């Protein structure tokens, strides 16, 4: 299946300016935003081998394009009043994939006791656009941030996927 999310009017027209001592932050929309797009693939199978018991497995792969995210603009010093201006703007700054699977089973004993177990895994790989990475490197250099330290922080975020979780839920409802 395919889905498209058109930008809201606020995504185009947003303009917030926040002044603090020595710092001015601006957050602006973007009239050139493209719609966010999702292409989703999913398949699953459910079976009932006995009365009161069912199990299923489901797998999916989602492809995201033009995901809206706030990007950082050119940091500059302004003179009146003296402050550092940090501009953010909405941009089509991300794309990527989410792949996952789930197994679930549910069983009933009589009418009073029910138990459900599920296990799911999710592998999320969202990539910033080249423009976003380029602006990040410019900001990194303009602030004099240690390149090796920043690169180590970015690499520490790699390999954190897939995420796995499970749940067990049992209920007793005597009549």
């Amino acid at each position: 299946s395919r889905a498209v999310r058109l930008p809201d009017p606020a995504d185009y027209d947003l303009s917030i300016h926040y002044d603090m001592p020595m710092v001015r932050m601006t957050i602006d929309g973007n009239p050139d935003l493209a719609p966010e797009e999702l292409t989703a693939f999913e398949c699953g199978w459910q079976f009932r081998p006995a009365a009161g018991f069912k199990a299923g497995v489901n797998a999916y792969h989602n492809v995201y394009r033009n995901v809206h995210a706030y990007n950082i603009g050119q940091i500059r010093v302004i003179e009146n009043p003296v402050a550092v201006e940090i501009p953010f703007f909405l941009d089509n700054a991300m794309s990527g994939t989410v792949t996952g699977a789930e197994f679930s089973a549910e069983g009933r004993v009589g009418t009073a006791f029910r138990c459900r177990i599920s296990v799911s895994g999710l592998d999320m790989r969202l990539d910033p656009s080249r423009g976003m990475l380029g602006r990040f490197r410019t900001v990194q250099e303009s602030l004099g941030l240690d390149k090796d330290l920043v690169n180590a922080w970015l690499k520490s975020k790699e390999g954190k996927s897939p995420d796995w979780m499970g749940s067990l839920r049992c209920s007793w409802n005597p009549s």
Side-chain angles (χ1 to χ4, degrees):
S1 65
R2 184 170 184 271
V4 174
R5 179 192 166 286
L6 298 174
D8 296 332
D11 294 338
Y12 295 129
D13 301 329
L14 178 70
S15 183
I16 299 172
H17 300 271
Y18 184 69
D19 288 324
M20 299 174 281
M22 305 295 292
V23 176
R24 171 180 289 166
M25 293 181 67
T26 61
I27 302 172
D28 292 311
N30 182 348
D32 298 322
L33 279 178
E36 293 177 312
E37 298 176 28
L38 163 67
T39 304
F41 305 91
E42 184 174 359
C43 67
W45 181 56
Q46 189 178 73
F47 62 101
R48 297 175 186 264
F53 181 79
K54 66 181 176 181
V57 64
N58 187 36
Y60 58 90
H61 178 75
N62 297 333
V63 179
Y64 296 90
R65 288 175 296 283
N66 297 325
V67 176
H68 298 172
Y70 281 95
N71 213 334
I72 191 165
Q74 184 65 40
I75 296 175
R76 65 187 183 105
V77 175
I78 53 177
E79 294 180 9
N80 192 12
V82 174
V84 174
E85 183 179 48
I86 305 171
F88 294 92
F89 62 96
L90 195 56
D91 198 9
N92 294 109
M94 305 276 281
S95 63
T97 62
V98 176
T99 304
E102 178 184 34
F103 168 79
S104 63
E106 182 177 311
R108 292 179 182 260
V109 177
T111 59
F113 185 71
R114 183 173 104 175
C115 214
R116 177 180 167 86
I117 186 169
S118 68
V119 177
S120 60
L122 174 73
D123 183 25
M124 185 182 316
R125 301 192 184 270
L126 294 177
D127 303 311
S129 68
R130 292 191 200 292
M132 185 177 195
L133 286 176
R135 281 187 283 282
F136 179 77
R137 296 291 179 216
T138 302
V139 169
Q140 174 185 339
E141 291 168 7
S142 68
L143 294 177
L145 298 175
D146 182 355
K147 185 172 107 176
D148 293 332
L149 179 65
V150 173
N151 287 340
W153 178 79
L154 287 172
K155 286 187 184 278
S156 75
K157 303 300 176 197
E158 293 176 1
K160 300 295 186 204
S161 212
D163 295 319
W164 290 94
M165 75 174 135
S167 68
L168 173 63
R169 188 173 59 212
C170 295
S171 60
W172 176 263
N173 187 12
S175 298

